[in-house]
Amino acid sequence: MRVVMFGYQTWGHRTLQALLDSEHDVVLVVTHPKSDHAYEKIWSDSVADLAEAHGVPVVIRNRPDDDELFQRLKEADPDIIVANNWRTWIPPRIYTLPRHGTLNVHDSLLPKYAGFSPLIWALINGEREVGVTAHMMDEVLDAGDIVDQRAVTVEPTDTATDLFHKTVDLIAPVTIGALARIAAGETEFTKQDRSQASFFHKRSEEDIRINWDWPADVLERLVRAQSAPYPAAFTFHKGKRLEILSAVVSEGRYGGTPGRIFYREGDGVVIVAGADARTGRNHGLAITRVRTEDGRELPATEYFTAMGGYLTSRP
């Protein structure tokens, strides 16, 4: 098939590479300009550079709603558009233009975690599986019929970085598998169960601020979800920002006021956390490694030279 590809960052790069390696003919690539947004500088392999290296024409747009782009797309005469990590709304006159419509590739197990940062949100929320879905685009974001979907298990110590590497390897088989079904003439795919749908927003500074009223297991997942190269979860100690680089749920149960710097346990320092609403148990968060405001990284047992005092959400 003749394919036009819309995509950005490493997700788009992997999709384009899969298309270039396939039997399909990539006739045009549309991608975003480089961004200074903190999350868009992560996993930022260039779609434009890959396309140009293979002689594929490239169009740079923030939004795909101008007449000049529409004319370029008509001239490209695609059988299908394939999109992955396109960051703005694609209007109906574009996604319905190709003979077979538009296939969107999304890094979640739709209908759950439509929208943004699905791996981070899924890890924070304690999901046992994550994955990649290829679905037909329609008027509702990430809601079209599912053509191909594959999952991987979330292991107890997985970070968001681990999950990125697991799921990015699914992009090629999911994309090419879906295109094979479409090229074979299939038109009936799996409807999404909208009663199971969820939609999540972009991550921001406020989303990585630690609230010590949360249970320790949620805080531990937040720390894993904000693994490097993502911005680290943070708190404040004596008015200065302190980033939490690694932590585990304490073995012992520790009561008291959330945020209290309480007890050395193994290689960590336990901070009192909120009670688990389901069990009523008060496990703490045993912090094992931190980064200070001046960029020093050190074990928590070296940073906290004495017990007592509090970590707070704000200075």
Side-chain angles (χ1 to χ4, degrees):
M1 293 188 291
R2 291 173 60 84
V3 179
V4 167
M5 189 267 181
F6 277 65
Y8 188 51
Q9 295 178 279
T10 301
W11 296 270
H13 188 279
R14 286 291 189 98
T15 305
L16 178 57
Q17 187 64 65
L19 293 169
L20 292 169
D21 291 341
S22 75
E23 62 184 356
H24 305 291
D25 184 16
V26 183
V27 295
L28 183 68
V29 164
V30 186
T31 189
H32 295 303
K34 291 182 180 180
S35 170
D36 289 328
H37 187 283
Y39 281 85
E40 292 186 0
K41 291 193 290 186
I42 300 170
W43 317 126
S44 57
D45 292 308
S46 173
V47 170
D49 289 352
L50 179 60
E52 290 168 356
H54 287 80
V56 179
V58 177
V59 177
I60 307 292
R61 289 290 190 278
N62 277 312
R63 301 184 63 84
D65 51 7
D66 60 277
D67 290 337
E68 180 185 350
L69 174 59
F70 185 66
Q71 186 60 38
R72 289 285 300 271
L73 293 170
K74 288 176 66 176
E75 292 170 356
D77 191 29
D79 294 305
I80 194 165
I81 291 173
V82 175
N84 191 347
N85 199 40
W86 182 262
R87 313 296 279 177
T88 57
W89 180 65
I90 297 177
R93 71 168 181 168
I94 289 181
Y95 70 71
T96 61
L97 176 66
R99 297 171 186 84
H100 298 292
T102 294
L103 181 76
N104 186 54
V105 183
H106 182 70
D107 55 335
S108 84
L109 295 175
L110 293 175
K112 294 182 177 181
Y113 297 96
F116 301 91
S117 304
L119 293 179
I120 293 177
W121 286 115
L123 180 51
I124 291 170
N125 292 338
E127 300 291 351
R128 296 183 178 181
E129 286 187 324
V130 294
V132 171
T133 303
H135 69 95
M136 301 309 300
M137 187 175 289
D138 62 17
E139 67 276 7
V140 180
L141 181 66
D142 295 335
D145 293 356
I146 294 171
V147 186
D148 200 333
Q149 183 177 79
R150 308 189 190 196
V152 291
T153 300
V154 179
E155 300 296 342
T157 59
D158 274 345
T159 65
T161 307
D162 296 326
L163 298 183
F164 165 81
H165 289 296
K166 287 183 178 183
T167 55
V168 79
D169 287 341
L170 297 178
I171 289 174
V174 167
T175 302
I176 302 307
L179 290 179
R181 294 186 66 187
I182 295 166
E186 292 188 51
T187 57
E188 297 295 323
F189 305 114
T190 303
K191 299 289 184 184
Q192 292 193 37
D193 179 357
R194 301 308 296 160
S195 70
Q196 299 299 310
S198 58
F199 184 86
F200 284 79
H201 60 76
K202 289 182 179 180
R203 303 286 294 174
S204 70
E205 177 87 351
E206 193 62 28
D207 301 311
I208 61 176
R209 183 190 307 274
I210 291 176
N211 181 340
W212 292 104
D213 289 329
W214 293 354
D217 62 331
V218 177
L219 294 175
E220 186 268 344
R221 292 197 301 270
L222 173 62
V223 171
R224 284 193 284 127
Q226 296 299 146
S227 57
Y230 297 103
F234 69 94
T235 186
F236 288 89
H237 183 222
K238 297 180 179 179
K240 294 185 177 181
R241 181 174 173 134
L242 183 68
E243 295 181 344
I244 310 304
L245 303 183
S246 61
V248 296
V249 175
S250 68
E251 294 181 7
R253 292 168 59 181
Y254 302 90
T257 303
R260 178 74 173 187
I261 304 162
F262 190 26
Y263 193 78
R264 292 180 185 269
E265 183 185 273
D267 294 330
V269 173
V270 176
I271 312 301
V272 176
D276 188 315
R278 296 165 298 175
T279 65
R281 293 177 178 173
N282 262 100
H283 286 278
L285 185 71
I287 298 173
T288 54
R289 193 163 187 84
V290 300
R291 182 188 294 125
T292 61
E293 204 168 64
D294 60 5
R296 292 184 301 125
E297 291 187 18
L298 65 163
T301 51
E302 292 183 17
Y303 175 81
F304 295 104
T305 56
M307 299 300 98
Y310 292 87
L311 298 182
T312 58
S313 296
R314 299 186 185 276

